[in-house]
Every structure is written in C-alpha cells, then in structure tokens.
Amino acid sequence: MMTFSSNSSSESSTSKSLLLLFLQFPLTSLEERENADDLWMAVEEIICVNGNERHQYEEALIAIIVEEPLRRYCQRIRRPDFWGGEAELSRPAPPLPHLHLSEEMVNEAATFIRECANAVLSASEDIALGRNSRMFIKVGLCLFIISVVVGLIDFLALGYTSLILGLTVPALYERYERHIVTCSSWIQETAGVVYKI
C-alpha cells in the first residue's frame, strides 16, 4: 500500500531527480514499471503538494489542465488505482468466450445461400426463355430506372449522398424508433385492410 508522507528533504530531492530524469530521458517499459511508485509519488509531490516547483513543468501541467481541473487531478492521483495500481492489478481478467462454428451452422448457411442462388438462377432462366414476361418487364424497368438515376448523379455526389444517408438514417431511426414503429405498424394494418393481405 502506498503512502504519501514524504516530507523530508532527502525524499523530496530524490523525487525531483527521478522526475527530472524521467522527463529528460524516457524510461523503458520495464524501468517505468519498476519505478512506477516512485514516479507516482514524485508527480504527486511536485504537481500537487509543492506549488513553487510546479512552474518548471508547464507542459505537463497544461496537459493535465486540458483533461480536468488541477484540484480534481490531485485528488485522483492519491488513489491507488489512478495509474493501474493495486485495485487494477488484483482484478482478474474477464473470461474469453469460446467461439466455434459448428458443422451444422455452416451447412445451414450453405444451404440457405444455395437456395437463394438457385431461385435467382431459376428466375433468370425463366426470363431468358420468355416463360415469365411479367418478371422480364419488372427487371427491365428496374434496370432502366437505376441507369437513369446513375446517369443523373456523378460518382462523387453519389458517394457523399450515400455517406450522409448512412450516417444520419441510423441515428434518426434510433432517436425516433418508437414513432417509426408505431407509424409502420399503422401503415401495415391499413394496407392489410385495403389489400386484404
């Protein structure tokens, strides 16, 4: 357990020299881990306790103040879990889930994809042989509409529009989900009554 009762001048000079050494010559991760408690106490002493020497470390002070008020930082730095101290070291790692694709899941997915592909190929064959003229007209009309829309919009505008729609539509749906669900269920009920679905 760490205590912060370093009032003697020898401890103060050791903390200062250690902090100066750390700021001038970056430590390796092993050295930083070995000297973490000393660095912690040096920062707490110089930044929070000894206001006279605080001006020597203006860059560090600015970095702290940008994140949070100095008073709050000084309160938090005294806690042992501030920089991954005791509270974090004693915490067990979360369990990792066991990820596994069963053969059954893969077979179901493959069957679904095969059925969809066969349905598309069957519809294509019917259209090509002229058995389903209604589907041929629908496909031709859809392709014509797509070509007209793409012809009117250049690729850059289409990209920007897609980006804006991709970012705003999910956010709007999440915000107004209750209203959208209510309206869509009302539309579905009305369409069911009108068209007797």
Side-chain angles (χ1 to χ4, degrees):
M1 183 78 183
M2 288 183 230
T3 58
F4 296 100
S5 59
S6 56
N7 293 334
S8 67
S9 61
S10 65
E11 289 179 0
S12 176
S13 63
T14 305
S15 298
K16 291 176 199 170
S17 62
L18 186 63
L19 186 61
L20 285 172
L21 180 68
F22 176 70
L23 290 174
Q24 290 175 356
F25 306 104
L27 302 175
T28 65
S29 61
L30 178 64
E31 292 171 332
E32 192 173 327
R33 236 181 290 128
E34 289 174 354
N35 298 319
D37 293 345
D38 296 332
L39 287 169
W40 184 2
M41 288 188 283
V43 169
E44 190 267 339
E45 180 182 336
I46 290 174
I47 299 294
C48 298
V49 175
N50 193 348
N52 297 334
E53 297 178 11
R54 192 180 300 154
H55 70 306
Q56 295 175 6
Y57 307 98
E58 286 186 33
E59 289 181 20
L61 194 59
I62 290 171
I64 292 168
I65 293 173
V66 166
E67 295 283 327
E68 62 185 327
L70 186 61
R71 173 180 270 167
R72 184 167 179 253
Y73 175 83
C74 290
Q75 290 171 348
R76 287 183 52 228
I77 197 171
R78 291 181 176 93
R79 293 179 28 205
D81 61 344
F82 179 68
W83 278 331
E86 297 158 334
E88 211 170 270
L89 292 176
S90 62
R91 184 181 309 147
L96 291 175
H98 180 68
L99 302 176
H100 177 72
L101 285 177
S102 67
E103 188 174 342
E104 182 182 329
M105 288 174 55
V106 173
N107 287 338
E108 286 178 18
T111 302
F112 176 74
I113 292 171
R114 181 182 52 83
E115 288 173 357
C116 289
N118 283 338
V120 168
L121 291 173
S122 176
S124 300
E125 183 181 5
D126 288 346
I127 291 170
L129 295 176
R131 291 186 212 152
N132 194 347
S133 59
R134 178 175 273 174
M135 179 67 81
F136 177 73
I137 292 171
K138 285 181 184 178
V139 170
L141 190 60
C142 287
L143 290 174
F144 177 73
I145 291 171
I146 289 172
S147 68
V148 168
V149 169
V150 170
L152 295 175
I153 300 173
D154 63 359
F155 184 72
L156 188 62
L158 185 64
Y160 283 135
T161 305
S162 301
L163 179 67
I164 289 171
L165 288 175
L167 293 175
T168 56
V169 168
L172 289 173
Y173 178 76
E174 186 175 319
R175 185 171 183 180
Y176 299 108
E177 182 176 5
R178 192 180 70 196
H179 301 296
I180 293 171
V181 169
T182 305
C183 289
S184 63
S185 63
W186 178 79
I187 290 170
Q188 187 177 10
E189 289 173 7
T190 306
V193 168
V194 171
Y195 297 110
K196 297 191 186 206
I197 295 175

